[in-house]
Every structure is written in C-alpha cells, then in structure tokens.
Amino acid sequence: MTSTGIRLNAPAPGWAIDADVVVVGSGVAGLTAALRCRAEGLRTVVVTKALLDDGSTRWAQGGIAAALGEGDTPEQHLDDTLVAGAGLCDGEAVRTLVTEGPDAVRRLIATGARFDTDDAGGIALTREGGHHRRRIAHAGGDATGAEISRALVTAIRDGAVRVIEHALVLDLLTDAEGRTAGITLHVMGEGQHDGVGAVHAPAVVLATGGMGQVFSATTNPPVSTGDGVALALRAGAEVSDLEFVQFHPTVLWLGPDSEGQQPLVSEAVRGEGAHLVDASGSRFMVGQHELAELAPRDIVAKGIMRRMQEQGADHMFLDARHFGAEMWENRFPTILAACRAHGIDPVTEPIPVAPAAHYASGGVRTDLHGRTTVPGLYACGEVACTGVHGANRLASNSLLEGLVFAERIARTIADTHAHGPVPPAGTDGSPSAAAVADGRPATAAGAPAERGSRGPVPLLVPEARREIQRIMTNGAGVLRSAASLDAAADALEALHLSALHDAEEFDKAAEPGVESWEATNLLLVARVLVAAAHERTETRGCHWREDHPGRDDAGWRRHVVVRLTPDRRLVVRRTATEAFPPARPAFVPTPTADREP
C-alpha cells in the first residue's frame, strides 16, 4: 500500500519533534490510547484540535454500556448489539467489545472516573434504547462524558504526557514504502510551537471523533469536521460503511432555521420512562416496536420522521412531566439546564424534539487491533470502523468501543515498538524492508507534485462549509433517494470544480488556513458519504432509502468500502459477504467510481 500523494495545500513544516507514537484526538479513545502507550514506556504525544477536554466525549450524556449488573452477561450485551446493528456487525469485534468491556470500565474507574452509585454503593445502572437490561453506567446524572473526560485529562497531565493543543492535523507523513512516519499539523495561536510543523513517529493513532458538522444540525461540537477520515483517505487508507450516519431521535428542536451544534436530550430520559408524543399527546411509538420508545435509535428516528410527515410537522415532543422537579434536578441536571436556557421547562411542558446528525457508525476501516490498511496508522473511536456498530450503533456502546479498542491499539503498538513493524489490516503479513525505524519520514503523504493528479488539493473558501451542510442535509439526511443523492453529488462536484477552476485558471484559490482546511475536509467526507449512500440501494439500520424501503439481505448484507486513488478518483466497492473486514475483496463497478473528491 502506498500513499495517494495527495495532500492539503499548506506551508512546509517549520518545526518538528520526535516521538514513538502520536495520538490525534483527546476524547475517551485518544486519551486512553495515550495513557496506555505512555505506561508501556513509549514517547507519546497527544495532538488535539482545541483544548484537551474539548472533544466529543465531554458532550456524552447517557453513559457507557457494559455487562456490570447482576444477572447481565456479555452474551446478552452481544445479542442487543447485533440486533441494533441490523445484520452488519462483525461478530468477533462485538464479542471483543462486550467481553473486554467490563474490565476496561473498571480500569477507567481505577484511573479516577467516578460513576453514580446506588444505595448499596454499587454502580448505578440505567437502561437505554435497544438494551434489554440495565447496563448503562452514568456519572453526574447526565454528565458521564464530562466526568470521563475530567478523569482522563487529569491522568494525562499527571502522567507528563506531551500535549499539543489548538492543533489541526493536516496530513500523514510516510516513507517511500508508504509506511507511517508521523503527521503534519498546524498549531493555532502562541505557544511553544506555532504554525505548520511535524511530529515524526512510526505510529499514528487517529482518534479525531466524528464528522457531524457535515450536516446543518448536529449534536457534534464545531471541531467535528471529519479531519481524521479525510487524512486517512489522502494517505491511501480505506473507509467503510460511511453511509450509516446515526441521527439521534431526540435533539432539542430550536426552530426551522437552527444550525450547528444542537442540545441533545439523552436516550436515558426515555430509559427512565419519558414518552414520545405528537402535538395531540398521542404516543406514536407504541405498537411500532416491542420496546416502543426504547427501540433502537434508527427505528425511533424513523418513527418520529414518519409522524412528522403524516402531520406536516417539523418536530415531535418528549413528555417527561411525570418525572417531577426532583428527578429532573438530580438525574438530568444538564438537560434541564439546556432546556430552560432555551425557554422550555420539561418539568411543566413536553420538550420539542427532532432527529439530528449524531454519530458516524462507519469510518476508517480497521482490524481488531485498530490497524488500518496503511502500515503504522491506527484508528479508534468514532473515526474508526471496527465492525462493532454495523448499520446502527447501540446506545452507549461508543464510549466503550473507544475504551476497549484504544487499549488494544496501545498493546499492539508496544509489541510493534519492541519487535518490529506489524502488517496493516488486509495484507498477507509480509513486513516491508523499508519500514520506518527511527520515525523520520522519507517522504510526505502528498509531497509536491503536478496539479491535476497528485499534489495539493485546491482549498475551498471557508464560506463553502455552510453550503456543504445545506447540500448534505437536503440530499443525504435522514431520508434519502437516488434523486436526492444525485442532486447532492452534483452540487458537491460543482463546489470541487469551482475550487479547482479558481486555483488553476485564476489563481484565486482559498488561502491556507484552519477554516479552508476544515471546509476541504468536509467536502471530501461528504462526497464519500454520498457515494456510499448512493451505492447501497436498500434501507438498513440508520440508512433510509425512500426509493428502496425494504431491507435486502440477499444482495446487501455487505459492506461498502471506498478509497481514494492517486488520480483523485473515488473507488467504491461492496464486499462479497458480510464478513468484516475483508482481506482482499473484489471490486464492484459503480457509477460513482469516477467522481473526483
């Protein structure tokens, strides 16, 4: 595997540092990987886009799922996960998650995380959509992510792990054989380092979180612009199942023109007995699924959308007035404060809610050790596609996935550091003679080359971000069809061609900078998402095709894999079976294969 030779248009690095491993991202996955690598004696650097505690983890309200309660078992957790994943989970990956999960949570507690306890002093467990047992551990009522982030950030600082904040990762550095040799990054503001630089390391862990900002309304923070997926594609890695974007069913509805990050109303509110109702007070989820409001998220989101369509409404309601003030104040203080800040008091009135982009079940394709198809490049957390989530993530499995697979990555990197390089996912295991030994790159992934194929990607102007979001919301949101996806693909193509035209003919290319790099990353991940969604002509999990409303197991119990070629084509293929990840699947031609990113 060699890199595409494509990179973001950016100044040459003006400074550099050396490490054994660089972790990009500071959520539960990134910080866990960094702590475990540091414990193995590896020189570890954490690069984070904002502040150390500013990632997606801190926004997680519900909790972390694990078989910790009396009578619960990993096997039961596995069964619930497989059902939610709608036939596309990798069984071995799920078994790894649920069997290693309980001890991983206990290690998190040993690191300093404090979960809410019951009257007997044990971990208090609640229930969420898709779970048949109470197995969700939470902290601060509805502030689980904030507590986990606090504990891990404290451990990172106490452990003297080197951290570079306010740093946007740009591209992967590789050697002549395509093996990882570090990253380039841009540090914003004053500090020890500033501007574009490099971290030289033979192992890079992507833990950059999601890409929710590709849509107009999302629960994701502003930093979630798909940077890790875009970097991996330019480096030659494969991404899988990007069409499966989970839209959280109950996001606080702030009006028809609301954009950007929206307040989440946690699954746990329904887990404690809140009801979904329409304007007349009718509970419309009863009879649609045995679990009613606690059905898997894709089913609840579809139920809300159907009732909105039937009634010509732009939102539904979540009614939890029966909780009373004391329960709201003690169990859900964060949600209560958010609602009241927007003029809604859930103690006395139903909460207006509507689905919004929440979680990417797909991402950079990895094996069970977090290895991608690029040697030395690893991925964990939301940026990765481990096979755990399939077509729809089970509630509160995301924090656990980040925790479990980050620990596995750290062990693998430690073994690699001690015994030489290990092969990437999908290879025959033959090590490369040109593997990086000292972490210094022989060439950058995307070293300067002729325009039109390799070399710098024409940057989009920052204003293009809102246009991408509008295109994706209209064409590739909760409801999709061939017509809507074609329109989205054409509009995204026009944005790319406009940037290329300005750069090559009029020298009007956007100036390199954080906002233009983010917009350019968003365009690439948007195009891949649309290509994958267009390819999958069925409805499955959180992918809903209006023109193909049925689930087609015979033809589509398959994964969609996309990679970027050196001449900037997207190559889209489906796997031959549901097995994940496939080692050497055959390519299936698709009309989207010749679209440029």
Side-chain angles (χ1 to χ4, degrees):
M1 173 66 69
T2 59
S3 84
T4 65
I6 302 170
R7 64 180 175 89
L8 287 173
N9 186 12
W15 54 270
I17 60 176
D18 293 322
D20 295 319
V21 56
V22 54
V23 178
V24 187
S26 60
V28 62
L31 295 187
T32 299
L35 283 172
R36 301 295 180 256
C37 285
R38 185 70 182 85
E40 295 284 353
L42 301 175
R43 295 175 302 162
T44 304
V45 174
V46 173
V47 173
T48 185
K49 197 172 180 179
L51 294 171
L52 197 57
D53 62 352
D54 231 9
S56 292
T57 292
R58 63 177 289 215
W59 299 100
Q61 295 173 344
I64 184 167
L68 297 166
E70 184 178 353
D72 197 6
T73 65
E75 198 69 27
Q76 294 176 71
H77 190 184
L78 180 143
D79 289 342
D80 285 346
T81 300
L82 294 180
V83 169
L88 280 185
C89 295
D90 178 72
E92 190 176 356
V94 177
R95 190 167 297 281
T96 296
L97 178 82
V98 300
T99 56
E100 297 183 11
D103 284 343
V105 172
R106 295 183 184 102
R107 284 189 290 272
L108 179 62
I109 293 171
T111 301
R114 298 189 292 265
F115 290 96
D116 295 343
T117 56
D118 56 25
D119 293 340
I123 298 175
L125 299 173
T126 190
R127 194 174 156 207
E128 293 183 0
H131 293 271
H132 283 78
R133 283 192 175 273
R134 286 182 170 263
R135 65 167 66 97
I136 316 300
H138 52 84
D142 59 356
T144 308
E147 170 58 19
I148 290 173
S149 181
R150 180 206 63 77
L152 291 175
V153 167
T154 299
I156 285 285
R157 288 175 173 154
D158 291 347
V161 175
R162 188 167 188 172
V163 177
I164 303 176
E165 296 181 311
H166 299 293
L168 171 65
V169 65
L170 298 176
D171 282 300
L172 192 73
L173 294 170
T174 60
D175 67 6
E177 293 295 321
R179 287 191 175 277
T180 293
I183 57 166
T184 56
L185 68 163
H186 174 78
V187 181
M188 302 162 267
E190 298 180 0
Q192 183 178 0
H193 302 292
D194 198 6
V196 175
V199 180
H200 297 153
V204 170
V205 181
L206 293 179
T208 52
M211 55 184 188
Q213 289 292 325
V214 79
F215 295 98
S216 296
T218 178
T219 62
N220 290 188
V223 295
S224 298
T225 52
D227 306 319
V229 171
L231 174 149
L233 283 162
R234 289 192 297 269
E238 293 182 346
V239 302
S240 184
D241 299 350
L242 217 62
E243 69 272 29
F244 294 119
V245 176
Q246 187 177 80
F247 288 79
H248 198 287
T250 54
V251 175
L252 184 62
W253 186 79
L254 301 179
D257 299 322
S258 59
E259 295 180 336
Q261 186 178 11
Q262 313 285 300
L264 176 67
V265 182
S266 170
E267 195 103 16
V269 178
R270 280 175 282 137
E272 296 292 353
H275 302 144
L276 280 166
V277 299
D278 58 19
S280 69
S282 175
R283 285 182 64 189
F284 55 87
M285 284 304 299
V286 175
Q288 292 198 37
H289 190 276
E290 62 172 346
L291 296 177
E293 285 92 353
L294 285 177
R297 286 177 177 173
D298 63 309
I299 294 171
V300 179
K302 290 171 187 175
I304 292 173
M305 292 298 297
R306 286 194 187 100
R307 185 54 65 102
M308 286 166 54
Q309 287 178 319
E310 291 169 1
Q311 300 187 344
D314 44 21
H315 64 281
M316 290 286 111
F317 295 93
L318 188 64
D319 192 352
R321 289 175 290 179
H322 54 286
F323 284 5
E326 184 177 356
M327 181 173 176
W328 267 111
E329 290 166 0
N330 294 329
R331 179 67 178 87
F332 301 111
T334 306
I335 299 170
L336 179 64
C339 288
R340 286 176 169 171
H342 290 283
I344 300 155
D345 188 352
V347 176
T348 60
E349 60 186 316
I351 305 167
V353 294
H358 181 58
Y359 189 88
S361 292
V364 184
R365 184 167 80 80
T366 73
D367 65 7
L368 294 179
H369 301 280
R371 296 178 293 192
T372 74
T373 52
V374 174
L377 179 64
Y378 301 78
C380 57
E382 190 172 355
V383 71
C385 185
T386 62
V388 159
H389 304 308
N392 185 48
R393 175 177 66 92
L394 181 65
S396 288
N397 266 358
S398 54
L399 293 176
L400 190 71
E401 183 200 32
L403 198 62
V404 167
F405 285 89
E407 291 187 341
R408 292 176 71 86
I409 285 173
R411 291 194 296 269
T412 301
I413 291 175
D415 290 343
T416 302
H417 186 75
H419 304 115
V422 293
T427 68
D428 61 6
S430 302
S432 168
V436 175
D438 63 0
R440 296 187 178 276
T443 183
E450 294 297 320
R451 273 185 180 166
S453 57
R454 297 183 176 225
V457 175
L459 299 179
L460 271 66
V461 294
E463 295 76 22
R465 178 172 179 152
R466 292 188 67 181
E467 179 65 10
I468 293 168
Q469 292 170 336
R470 183 193 64 79
I471 292 167
M472 293 298 289
T473 298
N474 292 338
V478 179
L479 305 179
R480 301 166 179 174
S481 67
S484 75
L485 293 166
D486 282 339
D490 290 343
L492 295 172
E493 174 89 357
L495 282 177
H496 171 69
L497 292 178
S498 176
L500 188 65
H501 185 259
D502 288 346
E504 293 194 339
E505 295 194 17
F506 296 98
D507 199 26
K508 293 181 181 178
E511 289 295 322
V514 172
E515 292 181 335
S516 58
W517 289 322
E518 286 183 333
T520 303
N521 283 339
L522 281 173
L523 178 61
L524 178 54
V525 298
R527 294 172 72 86
V528 174
L529 193 161
V530 168
H534 196 287
E535 175 76 359
R536 184 174 291 278
T537 51
E538 67 157 355
T539 290
R540 181 185 297 271
C542 51
H543 171 67
W544 188 3
R545 286 285 294 262
E546 292 183 285
D547 52 343
H548 295 279
R551 172 170 154 177
D552 177 10
D553 278 345
W556 275 110
R557 196 173 175 192
R558 308 284 187 271
H559 300 277
V560 175
V561 179
V562 184
R563 64 182 175 88
L564 183 63
T565 66
D567 58 356
R568 295 183 180 173
R569 291 181 304 112
L570 293 182
V571 177
V572 182
R573 62 174 169 86
R574 77 179 79 173
T575 61
T577 71
E578 72 274 14
F580 186 94
R584 283 187 174 85
F587 284 97
V588 175
T590 165
T592 57
D594 290 329
R595 293 187 183 275
E596 279 197 346

